Amino acid sequence: MFTGLRARLIVSYIVIILICLVLVSLASILLLSRFQAKLVFSGLNDIAVPTAFRVNGLLQRDLTPVEIVELLKEQAEKQEIRILLLTPRGQVLADTQDDWTGKQARVALSEIPKDPKTPYVYGSLTTPSGDTQLYVALSATPLRLATEGEESQRPVFVALLASPRRGLRTVLKDVANRFLQAGLVTLVVSLILALLIARSIANPLQRITAATEEIARGNYDQALDITSPDEVGRLAASFNAMVHEVKASRQAQRDFVANVSHELKTPLTSIQGFSQAILDDTADDEVSRYRAVEIIGSEANRMSRLVDELLDLARIESGQIQMLREPVDLAQMLESCVEKFALRAREGNVELVLDVPALPLVTGDKDRLDQVFTNLLANALKYTPSAGKVTVKAQEVTKIRKKVGLASTVEISVTDTGTGIPPEDLSHIFERFYQVDKSRAGQDRGAGLGLTIARQIVEAHEGSISVESVRDLGTKFTVSLPVVKRSY
Ligand code: ADP
């Protein structure tokens, strides 16, 4: 029960509305009953003065309290009050309802001030029968006489009592109906509003849930058009971004599998073909058989290289390979790297130039950095025809960076005068398996993973790699690595 968000919202709204209604009603009833009591007092006050005046007159005509009360009974009945005549000690001399004559009334007569401007006391008392009555008491003896000390005039007080007919219960009875009506109208209006609000909150969430379930079922074409400026809107935007990412990564996964299969299929087909040729004696002479075995060997090597590169890439990307953080002398490393390619350059009639001054140390993994420049040099020589030139240059560059202040990097460039890379391919060159023209590099072509691995290594060193190229003129790869901060 009430498990849905919408139902829970509505129920909580109803509970809050009901609590508010009850509180408001109680506060109003309390205020009303106080107001009613004030009305009773002011009614009693109005009658009190003329009554005291009348009692005073009758006393002067020497009527006994009982006789006086007899005369007041009709007035008391009409005005629905009770009139008592009291001694200064509170003894009831006469009562319009007779029962209290001779008894002691708990009325604060002693507090009736002598000041003729405020000659009253008022309050509430509990009758012997247990109900509460409001009273107003005042002196019925002419003040002048009393203060002049004429003992002949016995001081007499008049108390007028009225039951607070308009007490809490009466007030409730009177206003309950109206309160109920107002409450019902409020409840209905609030309910409609609550329904609308709950719907506006729950609907987008239901749509997001439905879309999430669709994704769980493998249907990734989900886009939510919820544009509200609140948290739900932000959730929808994040959801859309997430779906986009998931789709892209699924696509990348598919492309990856397709690429790997394709790269493996070519050497495998070759191996199958040549081994079959040996088996069914199509390669019948010694030379053909030797050639077939040679090709099988080289294709197996290529497959092994591909698998190695894939493993390498996977390990670097997943962070399994921890790069060493040791000081590396780049000048020395580049020199030995260039030396490795000297023979190949000479064979290809390509001039290989090293233009590297003494460089500050960088922090990193020497073997991994060596792998980067080996790859760049191998590519440069591969794509540079005879009589071309490959130059390795390096320099320290100091720039002012925000927050960091002065930051030094070493920039190493490998420039060739080779075939160049077409502008449309330039932005994809670091993507996995990306090759500009698969037929171009011939037998020793790679799988398009070398630059991807190079970029991963450089980025793991907090560096960057970029490329510039002009078709048929040449290509320049620039690697930038941060210099170790010197501590003096
Ligand atoms: P591969 O192992 O196939 O060479 P890389 O990732 O090293 O893969 O290079 C990707 C592609 O970039 C290559 O296939 C080649 O087309 C192009 N390329 C790389 N370096 C150069 C260069 N110096 N000159 C021209 N093209 C290059």
Side-chain angles (χ1 to χ4, degrees):
M1 208 163 114
F2 302 132
T3 45
L5 177 65
R6 193 189 309 203
R8 290 216 313 258
L9 277 173
I10 292 172
V11 169
S12 50
Y13 287 147
I14 293 175
V15 170
I16 292 169
I17 292 163
L18 284 178
I19 290 173
C20 288
L21 277 176
V22 168
L23 285 178
V24 168
S25 313
L26 282 180
S28 319
I29 287 168
L30 220 80
L31 278 175
L32 263 177
S33 68
R34 275 196 202 155
F35 180 67
Q36 298 285 16
K38 268 193 184 165
L39 275 182
V40 173
F41 276 126
S42 94
L44 285 178
N45 273 348
D46 289 347
I47 313 166
V49 177
T51 307
F53 190 73
R54 197 169 160 205
V55 171
N56 184 256
L58 295 170
L59 277 173
Q60 282 186 9
R61 277 166 45 199
D62 280 337
L63 265 73
T64 63
V66 177
E67 287 167 341
I68 295 173
V69 158
E70 224 24 69
L71 293 172
L72 291 174
K73 265 184 184 166
E74 198 185 334
Q75 175 202 339
E77 219 166 281
K78 235 202 259 164
Q79 290 169 335
E80 292 180 41
I81 58 169
R82 184 173 194 165
I83 303 170
L84 308 176
L85 294 187
L86 307 148
T87 67
R89 295 231 172 114
Q91 181 113 36
V92 180
L93 297 169
D95 171 11
T96 47
Q97 286 178 22
D98 296 328
D99 340 350
W100 293 357
T101 310
K103 288 189 179 155
Q104 187 69 34
R106 259 169 283 155
V107 180
L109 297 174
S110 57
E111 287 169 21
I112 294 180
K114 293 274 184 293
D115 182 357
K117 278 184 202 149
T118 52
Y120 308 100
V121 292
Y122 61 90
S124 66
L125 56 88
T126 311
T127 64
S129 51
D131 43 271
T132 309
Q133 297 224 317
L134 303 175
Y135 73 83
V136 165
L138 71 166
S139 170
T141 321
L143 280 168
R144 191 173 43 80
L145 287 180
T147 47
E148 278 169 9
E150 280 189 26
E151 290 303 318
S152 60
Q153 193 80 37
R154 271 203 306 151
V156 172
F157 291 89
V158 180
L160 287 87
L161 276 67
S163 46
R165 286 182 307 119
R166 301 200 152 270
L168 205 60
R169 238 176 261 164
T170 336
V171 174
L172 255 179
K173 240 189 235 163
D174 275 9
V175 294
N177 260 346
R178 298 224 181 107
F179 268 28
L180 225 75
Q181 283 166 2
L184 271 177
V185 172
T186 318
L187 201 69
V188 170
V189 173
S190 321
L191 260 178
I192 294 170
L193 281 176
L195 271 171
L196 290 176
I197 295 170
R199 209 173 64 173
S200 77
I201 294 173
N203 269 10
L205 288 176
Q206 272 169 353
R207 277 166 59 201
I208 295 174
T209 313
T212 317
E213 282 165 3
E214 277 303 305
I215 284 180
R217 272 187 221 113
N219 181 6
Y220 292 88
D221 284 322
Q222 304 294 323
L224 293 164
D225 59 341
I226 300 167
T227 48
S228 56
D230 53 10
E231 287 83 349
V232 179
R234 285 217 299 280
L235 175 64
S238 316
F239 178 87
N240 284 342
M242 183 200 74
V243 171
H244 185 76
E245 282 296 313
V246 171
K247 262 161 87 175
S249 103
R250 296 258 315 170
Q251 189 56 44
Q253 225 172 3
R254 271 194 221 113
D255 291 350
F256 181 77
V257 173
N259 281 323
V260 171
S261 325
H262 177 79
E263 289 298 329
L264 287 174
K265 202 168 184 283
T266 321
L268 271 176
T269 315
S270 193
I271 289 170
Q272 264 174 343
F274 283 100
S275 54
Q276 194 59 43
I278 296 170
L279 280 177
D280 60 17
D281 271 343
T282 319
D284 47 2
D285 58 304
E286 199 60 30
V287 179
S288 317
R289 269 201 293 276
Y290 182 79
R291 175 89 190 109
V293 172
E294 204 179 41
I295 292 173
I296 289 172
S298 109
E299 292 295 347
N301 275 341
R302 190 198 306 189
M303 277 171 62
S304 159
R305 228 175 29 236
L306 171 69
V307 172
D308 284 347
E309 280 183 337
L310 278 173
L311 282 175
D312 216 20
L313 189 63
R315 287 203 198 105
I316 296 172
E317 279 184 341
S318 66
Q320 273 181 43
I321 291 185
Q322 284 289 317
M323 299 282 160
L324 293 178
R325 295 193 62 78
E326 57 190 9
V328 179
D329 182 350
L330 279 175
Q332 200 185 45
M333 194 201 78
L334 289 170
E335 199 182 315
S336 66
C337 204
V338 164
E339 255 168 41
K340 269 193 298 190
F341 286 95
L343 182 65
R344 202 190 292 185
R346 222 175 300 134
E347 279 172 1
N349 191 27
V350 172
E351 189 188 351
L352 185 53
V353 180
L354 178 72
D355 178 6
V356 175
L359 291 170
L361 296 177
V362 298
T363 307
D365 192 318
K366 190 169 167 238
D367 289 345
R368 288 289 168 183
L369 289 174
D370 188 89
Q371 189 182 345
V372 171
F373 296 107
T374 302
N375 182 267
L376 293 181
L377 269 169
N379 278 347
L381 287 170
K382 201 190 311 182
Y383 298 107
T384 303
S386 175
K389 183 175 170 184
V390 171
T391 314
V392 178
K393 245 185 175 169
Q395 58 178 348
E396 184 182 0
V397 179
T398 305
K399 284 180 187 154
I400 299 173
R401 290 251 179 88
K402 267 186 198 163
K403 289 181 192 165
V404 189
L406 281 184
S408 277
T409 51
V410 173
E411 276 185 13
I412 309 109
S413 62
V414 178
T415 315
D416 64 58
T417 56
T419 53
I421 301 164
E424 64 273 20
D425 294 306
L426 219 49
S427 57
H428 302 288
I429 210 80
F430 295 104
E431 289 170 13
R432 296 170 190 185
F433 298 108
Y434 197 87
Q435 288 169 303
V436 173
D437 181 359
K438 293 197 181 196
S439 60
R440 206 169 50 159
Q443 263 298 298
D444 65 338
R445 69 174 185 89
L449 290 171
L451 286 178
T452 316
I453 295 173
R455 186 170 68 171
Q456 292 282 349
I457 295 173
V458 171
E459 284 176 356
H461 283 80
E462 287 155 33
S464 62
I465 182 167
S466 60
V467 61
E468 299 158 64
S469 187
V470 180
R471 209 171 187 170
D472 296 328
L473 274 182
T475 307
K476 178 181 179 185
F477 282 93
T478 309
V479 174
S480 177
L481 293 167
V483 172
V484 193
K485 279 214 178 93
R486 296 180 195 102
S487 46
Y488 296 98

